[in-house]
Amino acid sequence: MASARRALQSGTKAYISHLTRLLRVELGPEMVRVATIEPGMVDTELPDHVTDPDASRLMADLIHDIDCLQSADVAETVAFMAAVPRHVNLTEITTMPTAQAI
């Protein structure tokens, strides 16, 4: 079951990446910027809602053990991307806690 979830997650991420590329092609001529922000571990209540005990424990341990991103960190990334000049599109940004290994 865990491998099926990983496959689903990988497939979903691939779909989103492809969708954003297509939207950039379609909307770029209209000066609409399309970008992807991929945050690493963010300190949220997500571990409380994950039904897989191992995955929930892994996330909870990461949140406890490292200085995770906060929602404000993600918001600052969005603001940074929006603040670049209109003719600039930062197509993808991955943000992770410095100590996050996975």
PDB file of all heavy atoms in Angstrom, residues 63-101:
ATOM      1  N   ILE A  63       8.902  17.414  12.210  1.00  0.00           N
ATOM      2  CA  ILE A  63       8.475  18.702  12.767  1.00  0.00           C
ATOM      3  C   ILE A  63       9.122  18.923  14.129  1.00  0.00           C
ATOM      4  O   ILE A  63       9.535  20.038  14.456  1.00  0.00           O
ATOM      5  CB  ILE A  63       6.936  18.782  12.846  1.00  0.00           C
ATOM      6  CG1 ILE A  63       6.353  18.915  11.433  1.00  0.00           C
ATOM      7  CG2 ILE A  63       6.478  19.929  13.729  1.00  0.00           C
ATOM      8  CD1 ILE A  63       4.853  18.807  11.358  1.00  0.00           C
ATOM      9  N   HIS A  64       9.236  17.860  14.907  1.00  0.00           N
ATOM     10  CA  HIS A  64       9.833  17.975  16.239  1.00  0.00           C
ATOM     11  C   HIS A  64      11.346  18.158  16.174  1.00  0.00           C
ATOM     12  O   HIS A  64      11.929  18.906  16.957  1.00  0.00           O
ATOM     13  CB  HIS A  64       9.486  16.726  17.068  1.00  0.00           C
ATOM     14  CG  HIS A  64      10.063  16.753  18.439  1.00  0.00           C
ATOM     15  ND1 HIS A  64      11.268  16.167  18.750  1.00  0.00           N
ATOM     16  CD2 HIS A  64       9.615  17.324  19.583  1.00  0.00           C
ATOM     17  CE1 HIS A  64      11.539  16.361  20.016  1.00  0.00           C
ATOM     18  NE2 HIS A  64      10.552  17.060  20.548  1.00  0.00           N
ATOM     19  N   ASP A  65      12.002  17.463  15.237  1.00  0.00           N
ATOM     20  CA  ASP A  65      13.465  17.397  15.220  1.00  0.00           C
ATOM     21  C   ASP A  65      14.161  18.532  14.478  1.00  0.00           C
ATOM     22  O   ASP A  65      15.328  18.802  14.747  1.00  0.00           O
ATOM     23  CB  ASP A  65      13.932  16.065  14.613  1.00  0.00           C
ATOM     24  CG  ASP A  65      13.563  14.872  15.483  1.00  0.00           C
ATOM     25  OD1 ASP A  65      13.246  15.071  16.685  1.00  0.00           O
ATOM     26  OD2 ASP A  65      13.581  13.748  14.963  1.00  0.00           O
ATOM     27  N   ILE A  66      13.503  19.138  13.514  1.00  0.00           N
ATOM     28  CA  ILE A  66      14.174  20.183  12.733  1.00  0.00           C
ATOM     29  C   ILE A  66      13.378  21.479  12.794  1.00  0.00           C
ATOM     30  O   ILE A  66      12.216  21.501  13.194  1.00  0.00           O
ATOM     31  CB  ILE A  66      14.391  19.765  11.260  1.00  0.00           C
ATOM     32  CG1 ILE A  66      13.060  19.617  10.528  1.00  0.00           C
ATOM     33  CG2 ILE A  66      15.214  18.496  11.162  1.00  0.00           C
ATOM     34  CD1 ILE A  66      13.225  19.348   9.035  1.00  0.00           C
ATOM     35  N   ASP A  67      14.033  22.549  12.409  1.00  0.00           N
ATOM     36  CA  ASP A  67      13.400  23.862  12.352  1.00  0.00           C
ATOM     37  C   ASP A  67      12.638  23.946  11.025  1.00  0.00           C
ATOM     38  O   ASP A  67      13.181  24.370  10.007  1.00  0.00           O
ATOM     39  CB  ASP A  67      14.483  24.944  12.442  1.00  0.00           C
ATOM     40  CG  ASP A  67      13.905  26.333  12.591  1.00  0.00           C
ATOM     41  OD1 ASP A  67      12.701  26.462  12.882  1.00  0.00           O
ATOM     42  OD2 ASP A  67      14.670  27.292  12.411  1.00  0.00           O
ATOM     43  N   CYS A  68      11.387  23.485  11.057  1.00  0.00           N
ATOM     44  CA  CYS A  68      10.569  23.407   9.841  1.00  0.00           C
ATOM     45  C   CYS A  68      10.206  24.789   9.328  1.00  0.00           C
ATOM     46  O   CYS A  68      10.271  25.787  10.045  1.00  0.00           O
ATOM     47  CB  CYS A  68       9.277  22.649  10.133  1.00  0.00           C
ATOM     48  SG  CYS A  68       9.526  20.912  10.430  1.00  0.00           S
ATOM     49  N   LEU A  69       9.789  24.797   8.069  1.00  0.00           N
ATOM     50  CA  LEU A  69       9.243  26.018   7.508  1.00  0.00           C
ATOM     51  C   LEU A  69       7.956  26.369   8.244  1.00  0.00           C
ATOM     52  O   LEU A  69       7.251  25.489   8.730  1.00  0.00           O
ATOM     53  CB  LEU A  69       8.921  25.828   6.022  1.00  0.00           C
ATOM     54  CG  LEU A  69      10.079  25.477   5.092  1.00  0.00           C
ATOM     55  CD1 LEU A  69       9.542  25.213   3.686  1.00  0.00           C
ATOM     56  CD2 LEU A  69      11.121  26.573   5.065  1.00  0.00           C
ATOM     57  N   GLN A  70       7.668  27.638   8.288  1.00  0.00           N
ATOM     58  CA  GLN A  70       6.412  28.127   8.835  1.00  0.00           C
ATOM     59  C   GLN A  70       5.568  28.639   7.680  1.00  0.00           C
ATOM     60  O   GLN A  70       6.084  28.912   6.592  1.00  0.00           O
ATOM     61  CB  GLN A  70       6.668  29.244   9.858  1.00  0.00           C
ATOM     62  CG  GLN A  70       7.546  28.822  11.020  1.00  0.00           C
ATOM     63  CD  GLN A  70       6.918  27.713  11.840  1.00  0.00           C
ATOM     64  OE1 GLN A  70       5.761  27.802  12.240  1.00  0.00           O
ATOM     65  NE2 GLN A  70       7.674  26.645  12.087  1.00  0.00           N
ATOM     66  N   SER A  71       4.283  28.790   7.911  1.00  0.00           N
ATOM     67  CA  SER A  71       3.418  29.289   6.840  1.00  0.00           C
ATOM     68  C   SER A  71       3.890  30.652   6.352  1.00  0.00           C
ATOM     69  O   SER A  71       3.798  30.963   5.158  1.00  0.00           O
ATOM     70  CB  SER A  71       1.962  29.348   7.310  1.00  0.00           C
ATOM     71  OG  SER A  71       1.846  30.158   8.463  1.00  0.00           O
ATOM     72  N   ALA A  72       4.448  31.469   7.234  1.00  0.00           N
ATOM     73  CA  ALA A  72       4.972  32.782   6.837  1.00  0.00           C
ATOM     74  C   ALA A  72       6.133  32.644   5.853  1.00  0.00           C
ATOM     75  O   ALA A  72       6.306  33.501   4.977  1.00  0.00           O
ATOM     76  CB  ALA A  72       5.413  33.568   8.070  1.00  0.00           C
ATOM     77  N   ASP A  73       6.924  31.579   5.963  1.00  0.00           N
ATOM     78  CA  ASP A  73       8.026  31.357   5.027  1.00  0.00           C
ATOM     79  C   ASP A  73       7.489  31.113   3.620  1.00  0.00           C
ATOM     80  O   ASP A  73       8.019  31.630   2.641  1.00  0.00           O
ATOM     81  CB  ASP A  73       8.874  30.157   5.460  1.00  0.00           C
ATOM     82  CG  ASP A  73       9.501  30.342   6.832  1.00  0.00           C
ATOM     83  OD1 ASP A  73       9.933  31.468   7.144  1.00  0.00           O
ATOM     84  OD2 ASP A  73       9.542  29.354   7.581  1.00  0.00           O
ATOM     85  N   VAL A  74       6.425  30.332   3.536  1.00  0.00           N
ATOM     86  CA  VAL A  74       5.816  30.052   2.232  1.00  0.00           C
ATOM     87  C   VAL A  74       5.185  31.336   1.689  1.00  0.00           C
ATOM     88  O   VAL A  74       5.330  31.662   0.504  1.00  0.00           O
ATOM     89  CB  VAL A  74       4.787  28.912   2.332  1.00  0.00           C
ATOM     90  CG1 VAL A  74       4.130  28.654   0.986  1.00  0.00           C
ATOM     91  CG2 VAL A  74       5.457  27.641   2.853  1.00  0.00           C
ATOM     92  N   ALA A  75       4.528  32.088   2.555  1.00  0.00           N
ATOM     93  CA  ALA A  75       3.917  33.356   2.129  1.00  0.00           C
ATOM     94  C   ALA A  75       4.972  34.331   1.614  1.00  0.00           C
ATOM     95  O   ALA A  75       4.750  35.032   0.615  1.00  0.00           O
ATOM     96  CB  ALA A  75       3.134  33.972   3.281  1.00  0.00           C
ATOM     97  N   GLU A  76       6.131  34.382   2.254  1.00  0.00           N
ATOM     98  CA  GLU A  76       7.212  35.255   1.784  1.00  0.00           C
ATOM     99  C   GLU A  76       7.708  34.822   0.415  1.00  0.00           C
ATOM    100  O   GLU A  76       8.062  35.659  -0.417  1.00  0.00           O
ATOM    101  CB  GLU A  76       8.365  35.270   2.789  1.00  0.00           C
ATOM    102  CG  GLU A  76       8.078  36.086   4.019  1.00  0.00           C
ATOM    103  CD  GLU A  76       9.267  36.148   4.960  1.00  0.00           C
ATOM    104  OE1 GLU A  76      10.420  36.146   4.492  1.00  0.00           O
ATOM    105  OE2 GLU A  76       9.023  36.198   6.178  1.00  0.00           O
ATOM    106  N   THR A  77       7.737  33.520   0.166  1.00  0.00           N
ATOM    107  CA  THR A  77       8.141  33.014  -1.150  1.00  0.00           C
ATOM    108  C   THR A  77       7.144  33.459  -2.211  1.00  0.00           C
ATOM    109  O   THR A  77       7.532  33.903  -3.299  1.00  0.00           O
ATOM    110  CB  THR A  77       8.260  31.477  -1.118  1.00  0.00           C
ATOM    111  OG1 THR A  77       9.178  31.101  -0.088  1.00  0.00           O
ATOM    112  CG2 THR A  77       8.740  30.937  -2.455  1.00  0.00           C
ATOM    113  N   VAL A  78       5.861  33.357  -1.901  1.00  0.00           N
ATOM    114  CA  VAL A  78       4.820  33.811  -2.831  1.00  0.00           C
ATOM    115  C   VAL A  78       4.988  35.308  -3.098  1.00  0.00           C
ATOM    116  O   VAL A  78       4.962  35.755  -4.257  1.00  0.00           O
ATOM    117  CB  VAL A  78       3.410  33.510  -2.286  1.00  0.00           C
ATOM    118  CG1 VAL A  78       2.342  34.157  -3.154  1.00  0.00           C
ATOM    119  CG2 VAL A  78       3.183  32.011  -2.174  1.00  0.00           C
ATOM    120  N   ALA A  79       5.193  36.090  -2.054  1.00  0.00           N
ATOM    121  CA  ALA A  79       5.356  37.535  -2.205  1.00  0.00           C
ATOM    122  C   ALA A  79       6.596  37.862  -3.043  1.00  0.00           C
ATOM    123  O   ALA A  79       6.557  38.757  -3.898  1.00  0.00           O
ATOM    124  CB  ALA A  79       5.448  38.203  -0.837  1.00  0.00           C
ATOM    125  N   PHE A  80       7.678  37.123  -2.819  1.00  0.00           N
ATOM    126  CA  PHE A  80       8.900  37.337  -3.596  1.00  0.00           C
ATOM    127  C   PHE A  80       8.653  37.077  -5.079  1.00  0.00           C
ATOM    128  O   PHE A  80       9.033  37.867  -5.938  1.00  0.00           O
ATOM    129  CB  PHE A  80      10.016  36.428  -3.075  1.00  0.00           C
ATOM    130  CG  PHE A  80      11.255  36.446  -3.917  1.00  0.00           C
ATOM    131  CD1 PHE A  80      12.114  37.521  -3.874  1.00  0.00           C
ATOM    132  CD2 PHE A  80      11.545  35.382  -4.764  1.00  0.00           C
ATOM    133  CE1 PHE A  80      13.258  37.545  -4.662  1.00  0.00           C
ATOM    134  CE2 PHE A  80      12.679  35.394  -5.548  1.00  0.00           C
ATOM    135  CZ  PHE A  80      13.545  36.480  -5.502  1.00  0.00           C
ATOM    136  N   MET A  81       7.976  35.964  -5.369  1.00  0.00           N
ATOM    137  CA  MET A  81       7.691  35.626  -6.761  1.00  0.00           C
ATOM    138  C   MET A  81       6.796  36.679  -7.417  1.00  0.00           C
ATOM    139  O   MET A  81       6.970  37.013  -8.582  1.00  0.00           O
ATOM    140  CB  MET A  81       7.037  34.248  -6.865  1.00  0.00           C
ATOM    141  CG  MET A  81       7.976  33.116  -6.519  1.00  0.00           C
ATOM    142  SD  MET A  81       7.168  31.515  -6.565  1.00  0.00           S
ATOM    143  CE  MET A  81       7.351  31.127  -8.303  1.00  0.00           C
ATOM    144  N   ALA A  82       5.842  37.179  -6.664  1.00  0.00           N
ATOM    145  CA  ALA A  82       4.918  38.175  -7.206  1.00  0.00           C
ATOM    146  C   ALA A  82       5.580  39.540  -7.383  1.00  0.00           C
ATOM    147  O   ALA A  82       5.123  40.344  -8.197  1.00  0.00           O
ATOM    148  CB  ALA A  82       3.701  38.308  -6.297  1.00  0.00           C
ATOM    149  N   ALA A  83       6.667  39.783  -6.649  1.00  0.00           N
ATOM    150  CA  ALA A  83       7.305  41.099  -6.671  1.00  0.00           C
ATOM    151  C   ALA A  83       8.316  41.286  -7.797  1.00  0.00           C
ATOM    152  O   ALA A  83       8.748  42.404  -8.045  1.00  0.00           O
ATOM    153  CB  ALA A  83       7.988  41.354  -5.325  1.00  0.00           C
ATOM    154  N   VAL A  84       8.693  40.216  -8.478  1.00  0.00           N
ATOM    155  CA  VAL A  84       9.656  40.394  -9.568  1.00  0.00           C
ATOM    156  C   VAL A  84       8.983  41.172 -10.697  1.00  0.00           C
ATOM    157  O   VAL A  84       7.752  41.197 -10.795  1.00  0.00           O
ATOM    158  CB  VAL A  84      10.225  39.039 -10.068  1.00  0.00           C
ATOM    159  CG1 VAL A  84      10.986  38.332  -8.957  1.00  0.00           C
ATOM    160  CG2 VAL A  84       9.155  38.156 -10.652  1.00  0.00           C
ATOM    161  N   PRO A  85       9.762  41.804 -11.549  1.00  0.00           N
ATOM    162  CA  PRO A  85       9.159  42.573 -12.646  1.00  0.00           C
ATOM    163  C   PRO A  85       8.201  41.721 -13.478  1.00  0.00           C
ATOM    164  O   PRO A  85       8.367  40.508 -13.605  1.00  0.00           O
ATOM    165  CB  PRO A  85      10.372  43.000 -13.475  1.00  0.00           C
ATOM    166  CG  PRO A  85      11.510  42.989 -12.516  1.00  0.00           C
ATOM    167  CD  PRO A  85      11.217  41.866 -11.553  1.00  0.00           C
ATOM    168  N   ARG A  86       7.221  42.377 -14.036  1.00  0.00           N
ATOM    169  CA  ARG A  86       6.148  41.683 -14.759  1.00  0.00           C
ATOM    170  C   ARG A  86       6.667  40.799 -15.887  1.00  0.00           C
ATOM    171  O   ARG A  86       6.080  39.769 -16.199  1.00  0.00           O
ATOM    172  CB  ARG A  86       5.162  42.715 -15.302  1.00  0.00           C
ATOM    173  CG  ARG A  86       3.981  42.077 -15.966  1.00  0.00           C
ATOM    174  CD  ARG A  86       2.970  43.111 -16.412  1.00  0.00           C
ATOM    175  NE  ARG A  86       2.033  42.496 -17.322  1.00  0.00           N
ATOM    176  CZ  ARG A  86       0.756  42.324 -17.068  1.00  0.00           C
ATOM    177  NH1 ARG A  86       0.274  42.753 -15.936  1.00  0.00           N
ATOM    178  NH2 ARG A  86      -0.030  41.749 -17.950  1.00  0.00           N
ATOM    179  N   HIS A  87       7.773  41.171 -16.506  1.00  0.00           N
ATOM    180  CA  HIS A  87       8.301  40.381 -17.619  1.00  0.00           C
ATOM    181  C   HIS A  87       9.138  39.183 -17.151  1.00  0.00           C
ATOM    182  O   HIS A  87       9.633  38.426 -17.973  1.00  0.00           O
ATOM    183  CB  HIS A  87       9.128  41.271 -18.568  1.00  0.00           C
ATOM    184  CG  HIS A  87      10.409  41.734 -17.960  1.00  0.00           C
ATOM    185  ND1 HIS A  87      10.469  42.806 -17.094  1.00  0.00           N
ATOM    186  CD2 HIS A  87      11.668  41.265 -18.088  1.00  0.00           C
ATOM    187  CE1 HIS A  87      11.724  42.987 -16.721  1.00  0.00           C
ATOM    188  NE2 HIS A  87      12.474  42.060 -17.306  1.00  0.00           N
ATOM    189  N   VAL A  88       9.242  38.982 -15.840  1.00  0.00           N
ATOM    190  CA  VAL A  88      10.018  37.883 -15.268  1.00  0.00           C
ATOM    191  C   VAL A  88       9.046  36.864 -14.662  1.00  0.00           C
ATOM    192  O   VAL A  88       8.133  37.231 -13.932  1.00  0.00           O
ATOM    193  CB  VAL A  88      10.978  38.393 -14.172  1.00  0.00           C
ATOM    194  CG1 VAL A  88      11.695  37.227 -13.500  1.00  0.00           C
ATOM    195  CG2 VAL A  88      11.962  39.391 -14.747  1.00  0.00           C
ATOM    196  N   ASN A  89       9.264  35.598 -14.967  1.00  0.00           N
ATOM    197  CA  ASN A  89       8.471  34.532 -14.373  1.00  0.00           C
ATOM    198  C   ASN A  89       9.412  33.528 -13.728  1.00  0.00           C
ATOM    199  O   ASN A  89      10.177  32.859 -14.421  1.00  0.00           O
ATOM    200  CB  ASN A  89       7.595  33.841 -15.426  1.00  0.00           C
ATOM    201  CG  ASN A  89       6.621  32.854 -14.817  1.00  0.00           C
ATOM    202  OD1 ASN A  89       6.300  32.932 -13.641  1.00  0.00           O
ATOM    203  ND2 ASN A  89       6.152  31.927 -15.622  1.00  0.00           N
ATOM    204  N   LEU A  90       9.371  33.458 -12.412  1.00  0.00           N
ATOM    205  CA  LEU A  90      10.122  32.420 -11.706  1.00  0.00           C
ATOM    206  C   LEU A  90       9.259  31.170 -11.782  1.00  0.00           C
ATOM    207  O   LEU A  90       8.251  31.053 -11.092  1.00  0.00           O
ATOM    208  CB  LEU A  90      10.357  32.829 -10.251  1.00  0.00           C
ATOM    209  CG  LEU A  90      11.188  34.094 -10.053  1.00  0.00           C
ATOM    210  CD1 LEU A  90      11.195  34.504  -8.590  1.00  0.00           C
ATOM    211  CD2 LEU A  90      12.598  33.876 -10.560  1.00  0.00           C
ATOM    212  N   THR A  91       9.628  30.252 -12.623  1.00  0.00           N
ATOM    213  CA  THR A  91       8.735  29.143 -12.937  1.00  0.00           C
ATOM    214  C   THR A  91       8.617  28.108 -11.832  1.00  0.00           C
ATOM    215  O   THR A  91       7.593  27.447 -11.718  1.00  0.00           O
ATOM    216  CB  THR A  91       9.173  28.442 -14.230  1.00  0.00           C
ATOM    217  OG1 THR A  91      10.491  27.933 -14.050  1.00  0.00           O
ATOM    218  CG2 THR A  91       9.129  29.397 -15.405  1.00  0.00           C
ATOM    219  N   GLU A  92       9.638  27.966 -11.025  1.00  0.00           N
ATOM    220  CA  GLU A  92       9.600  26.946  -9.980  1.00  0.00           C
ATOM    221  C   GLU A  92      10.554  27.304  -8.862  1.00  0.00           C
ATOM    222  O   GLU A  92      11.697  27.676  -9.112  1.00  0.00           O
ATOM    223  CB  GLU A  92      10.008  25.598 -10.563  1.00  0.00           C
ATOM    224  CG  GLU A  92       9.951  24.455  -9.594  1.00  0.00           C
ATOM    225  CD  GLU A  92      10.338  23.141 -10.254  1.00  0.00           C
ATOM    226  OE1 GLU A  92       9.872  22.878 -11.375  1.00  0.00           O
ATOM    227  OE2 GLU A  92      11.116  22.400  -9.643  1.00  0.00           O
ATOM    228  N   ILE A  93      10.067  27.213  -7.643  1.00  0.00           N
ATOM    229  CA  ILE A  93      10.916  27.410  -6.472  1.00  0.00           C
ATOM    230  C   ILE A  93      10.628  26.266  -5.506  1.00  0.00           C
ATOM    231  O   ILE A  93       9.478  25.976  -5.183  1.00  0.00           O
ATOM    232  CB  ILE A  93      10.659  28.761  -5.772  1.00  0.00           C
ATOM    233  CG1 ILE A  93      11.105  29.910  -6.667  1.00  0.00           C
ATOM    234  CG2 ILE A  93      11.389  28.816  -4.425  1.00  0.00           C
ATOM    235  CD1 ILE A  93      10.970  31.280  -6.043  1.00  0.00           C
ATOM    236  N   THR A  94      11.689  25.621  -5.047  1.00  0.00           N
ATOM    237  CA  THR A  94      11.590  24.610  -4.013  1.00  0.00           C
ATOM    238  C   THR A  94      12.211  25.187  -2.763  1.00  0.00           C
ATOM    239  O   THR A  94      13.365  25.621  -2.790  1.00  0.00           O
ATOM    240  CB  THR A  94      12.329  23.318  -4.423  1.00  0.00           C
ATOM    241  OG1 THR A  94      11.757  22.839  -5.645  1.00  0.00           O
ATOM    242  CG2 THR A  94      12.221  22.253  -3.358  1.00  0.00           C
ATOM    243  N   THR A  95      11.441  25.228  -1.693  1.00  0.00           N
ATOM    244  CA  THR A  95      11.953  25.725  -0.420  1.00  0.00           C
ATOM    245  C   THR A  95      11.930  24.582   0.575  1.00  0.00           C
ATOM    246  O   THR A  95      10.958  23.822   0.628  1.00  0.00           O
ATOM    247  CB  THR A  95      11.111  26.896   0.131  1.00  0.00           C
ATOM    248  OG1 THR A  95       9.779  26.454   0.322  1.00  0.00           O
ATOM    249  CG2 THR A  95      11.120  28.077  -0.817  1.00  0.00           C
ATOM    250  N   MET A  96      13.012  24.444   1.312  1.00  0.00           N
ATOM    251  CA  MET A  96      13.094  23.373   2.305  1.00  0.00           C
ATOM    252  C   MET A  96      13.786  23.897   3.539  1.00  0.00           C
ATOM    253  O   MET A  96      14.638  24.790   3.460  1.00  0.00           O
ATOM    254  CB  MET A  96      13.893  22.182   1.766  1.00  0.00           C
ATOM    255  CG  MET A  96      13.209  21.449   0.634  1.00  0.00           C
ATOM    256  SD  MET A  96      14.111  19.992   0.107  1.00  0.00           S
ATOM    257  CE  MET A  96      13.973  18.959   1.552  1.00  0.00           C
ATOM    258  N   PRO A  97      13.455  23.329   4.691  1.00  0.00           N
ATOM    259  CA  PRO A  97      14.246  23.638   5.879  1.00  0.00           C
ATOM    260  C   PRO A  97      15.693  23.193   5.629  1.00  0.00           C
ATOM    261  O   PRO A  97      15.931  22.166   4.991  1.00  0.00           O
ATOM    262  CB  PRO A  97      13.614  22.786   6.972  1.00  0.00           C
ATOM    263  CG  PRO A  97      12.240  22.466   6.475  1.00  0.00           C
ATOM    264  CD  PRO A  97      12.351  22.416   4.978  1.00  0.00           C
ATOM    265  N   THR A  98      16.611  23.969   6.086  1.00  0.00           N
ATOM    266  CA  THR A  98      18.027  23.655   5.877  1.00  0.00           C
ATOM    267  C   THR A  98      18.383  22.268   6.379  1.00  0.00           C
ATOM    268  O   THR A  98      19.131  21.536   5.739  1.00  0.00           O
ATOM    269  CB  THR A  98      18.913  24.710   6.566  1.00  0.00           C
ATOM    270  OG1 THR A  98      18.555  25.998   6.065  1.00  0.00           O
ATOM    271  CG2 THR A  98      20.385  24.459   6.317  1.00  0.00           C
ATOM    272  N   ALA A  99      17.803  21.862   7.489  1.00  0.00           N
ATOM    273  CA  ALA A  99      18.143  20.569   8.102  1.00  0.00           C
ATOM    274  C   ALA A  99      17.341  19.397   7.538  1.00  0.00           C
ATOM    275  O   ALA A  99      17.585  18.264   7.931  1.00  0.00           O
ATOM    276  CB  ALA A  99      17.936  20.636   9.620  1.00  0.00           C
ATOM    277  N   GLN A 100      16.405  19.649   6.626  1.00  0.00           N
ATOM    278  CA  GLN A 100      15.592  18.549   6.092  1.00  0.00           C
ATOM    279  C   GLN A 100      16.397  17.749   5.078  1.00  0.00           C
ATOM    280  O   GLN A 100      16.826  18.262   4.064  1.00  0.00           O
ATOM    281  CB  GLN A 100      14.314  19.063   5.445  1.00  0.00           C
ATOM    282  CG  GLN A 100      13.418  17.940   4.949  1.00  0.00           C
ATOM    283  CD  GLN A 100      12.113  18.445   4.360  1.00  0.00           C
ATOM    284  OE1 GLN A 100      11.720  19.576   4.555  1.00  0.00           O
ATOM    285  NE2 GLN A 100      11.431  17.588   3.617  1.00  0.00           N
ATOM    286  N   ALA A 101      16.568  16.464   5.375  1.00  0.00           N
ATOM    287  CA  ALA A 101      17.368  15.608   4.500  1.00  0.00           C
ATOM    288  C   ALA A 101      16.532  14.929   3.437  1.00  0.00           C
ATOM    289  O   ALA A 101      17.037  14.542   2.384  1.00  0.00           O
ATOM    290  CB  ALA A 101      18.089  14.543   5.338  1.00  0.00           C
TER     291      ALA A 101
END
